[in-house]
Amino acid sequence: MQLLLSLLFTTMAFGGPSTDSQQRTENDREIEEVHAVLQESAYEVMHLAGRYFVRTPVSVYELDLTAASVSPLKVHGLTEVWALAESGQGKVIALGRTNGTTRLLIDIFGGDVSDLPLPSELASHAERLTLAAGKTAVALASKKKVFWWNGKQWSDVLLAHAVPSDRDRAYVSPHFVADSLFVALNEGEWAAGLFALDTRTKKMKRVCAPPSDGSLLYLTEWRLSGKRALLMETAFGTARLSSLTPAGQCRTLATLDANFSQSAGADLGVPHVTGMDLGASNEWVVLSGTSGLFHQRKGQWRPMVPGLDDSTGRFGFQGSSNIHLSHLRVLFTTLKVAGDLAIIGTDSVGVLLVDMKTGQIRRVTLPLSKKFM
């Protein structure tokens, strides 16, 4: 099942044979109409301090699940919000910029917001940094360095294999299990891996070894569950869910591959798995970037998001207008499960809220992408 969304255009019929020039004009107009409805890509859905947020390439928005709407997250002292994280004390930390200065604000929803001074080389850093928080520690990463705050001072380590800054989709991201620091590298097809960083010796050691076939796996999901982390790594044809302890012990919990798709009796679009999570009954929910949402119930897999109706070319969202996209293939980018509700991010048409009990789908619109404006 290929989940395609396509945009229906109303075009005028021109008398007489069309010329190449007329055809190009019509194509340009259709492309403009597609761009006019494209929304910011939902890179990540976050659940912090009991609230939900959506991170896009441009900003961070707060998500209201009841109203099915978003609003820009406004943080006093920041004109741009780049990233959020929650510390072990339940305080939400915001990273962003104001007047050309990078700032890190602690406890943005509390009554006493504090500004954690950054290393001087980061104060005017133009590149967007990634952020993570542990029980008491905080970490930031650029494509060349990892920085961490141990509660008293900042330290840093220069990556032995820095990710080239000209590769837009490449990234370095820090993560914590308790106050143990891990670093994920993703340089596309060139390099990838998850490493434990010893903050005393500044040495990095690979954890969660790649599959026996040597495939490169890229970290696509990370969430804390008690005293461990649940992480999902993907590669073309494989998705692996593992648990990771503070000591760096990694255990595979589930693997999706071509054989799994056959045994599940459904085309899960495994080469494009973008999310895995546990539902209310502790059963797996899987998101494929191209095939939609699948839910495991009593050992059986079933699709939860309706596919494209070939007879009508329609994809319907309950409670909103149908969306038709004939010139664009929309991908599902991220998944967060809240009880029986699946929150699905897309690359261009907002966020979908799927009730996995009733099948109802609501769509949350995001701001239009300025990339095409």
Side-chain angles (χ1 to χ4, degrees):
M1 178 187 71
Q2 292 291 318
L3 182 58
L4 307 175
L5 309 179
S6 61
L7 180 65
L8 179 66
F9 300 107
T10 303
T11 57
M12 297 180 62
F14 292 89
S18 61
T19 65
D20 289 343
S21 176
Q22 288 174 327
Q23 186 63 46
R24 283 196 298 271
T25 300
E26 285 303 297
N27 289 342
D28 290 344
R29 183 178 295 114
E30 290 178 348
I31 291 173
E32 288 176 0
E33 291 181 10
V34 169
H35 288 172
V37 299
L38 292 185
Q39 297 166 32
E40 294 175 14
S41 296
Y43 277 3
E44 181 183 14
V45 175
M46 299 169 285
H47 184 219
L48 305 171
R51 302 159 76 162
Y52 288 89
F53 304 90
V54 180
R55 182 175 64 85
T56 76
V58 177
S59 191
V60 176
Y61 302 89
E62 185 159 6
L63 173 61
D64 186 326
L65 298 180
T66 302
S69 63
V70 294
S71 56
L73 177 62
K74 296 182 180 180
V75 177
H76 182 71
L78 296 177
T79 54
E80 298 177 57
V81 180
W82 289 352
L84 298 177
E86 184 177 1
S87 72
Q89 291 83 21
K91 297 179 179 180
V92 176
I93 301 169
L95 173 69
R97 284 172 70 82
T98 183
N99 299 324
T101 301
T102 305
R103 298 183 68 187
L104 189 62
L105 302 182
I106 310 296
D107 200 15
I108 60 171
F109 300 131
D112 186 19
V113 180
S114 58
D115 198 328
L116 182 61
L118 294 174
S120 57
E121 64 182 287
L122 294 181
S124 58
H125 199 75
E127 175 193 337
R128 291 196 173 212
L129 304 166
T130 52
L131 166 69
K135 281 187 175 181
T136 58
V138 177
L140 302 171
S142 68
K143 292 181 179 179
K144 296 180 180 180
K145 268 187 175 183
V146 177
F147 305 81
W148 64 91
W149 170 263
N150 64 7
K152 297 181 179 180
Q153 63 182 13
W154 284 99
S155 301
D156 63 75
V157 61
L158 184 66
L159 295 172
H161 182 73
V163 174
S165 58
D166 59 348
R167 293 176 183 158
D168 291 338
R169 297 187 66 83
Y171 65 83
V172 177
S173 59
H175 303 272
F176 282 102
V177 184
D179 271 338
S180 296
L181 180 57
F182 298 86
V183 179
L185 302 181
N186 177 1
E187 197 187 329
E189 62 269 32
W190 292 274
L194 182 65
F195 299 83
L197 174 56
D198 188 322
T199 55
R200 294 171 300 172
T201 65
K202 298 188 178 181
K203 292 183 178 180
M204 295 175 63
K205 178 182 178 181
R206 182 183 290 272
V207 296
C208 299
S212 57
D213 63 2
S215 301
L216 291 176
L217 295 179
Y218 309 104
L219 181 69
T220 53
E221 294 278 349
W222 177 287
R223 69 181 178 88
L224 295 177
S225 177
K227 296 181 179 180
R228 63 176 183 167
L230 293 179
L231 56 110
M232 189 187 74
E233 302 162 288
T234 60
F236 189 81
T238 302
R240 181 175 71 182
L241 186 74
S242 305
S243 66
L244 183 66
T245 68
Q249 297 172 327
C250 189
R251 182 168 67 94
T252 300
L253 302 177
T255 301
L256 298 183
D257 54 23
N259 293 330
F260 180 89
S261 288
Q262 294 172 5
S263 65
D267 178 10
L268 300 182
V270 168
H272 305 287
V273 170
T274 53
M276 294 172 69
D277 207 344
L278 289 171
S281 302
N282 218 33
E283 295 175 317
W284 294 115
V285 180
V286 174
L287 180 69
S288 165
T290 54
S291 298
L293 185 70
F294 294 83
H295 191 196
Q296 185 189 49
R297 283 284 173 90
K298 297 180 180 179
Q300 299 295 317
W301 288 90
R302 62 190 180 108
M304 293 299 302
V305 175
L308 184 72
D309 186 333
D310 292 331
S311 63
T312 63
R314 289 172 174 258
F315 181 91
F317 294 97
Q318 187 168 338
S320 65
S321 301
N322 286 334
I323 298 179
H324 307 272
L325 304 163
S326 59
H327 291 268
L328 181 70
R329 183 173 186 170
V330 175
L331 297 178
F332 297 105
T333 55
T334 185
L335 170 70
K336 180 70 69 176
V337 174
D340 287 310
L341 185 69
I343 307 168
I344 302 173
T346 75
D347 68 340
S348 56
V349 294
V351 176
L352 305 183
L353 305 179
V354 181
D355 187 318
M356 293 186 289
K357 277 190 172 180
T358 66
Q360 181 192 40
I361 303 173
R362 294 176 294 157
R363 186 167 68 96
V364 181
T365 57
L366 291 173
L368 296 180
S369 173
K370 296 181 180 179
K371 180 178 180 181
F372 301 106
M373 297 177 68

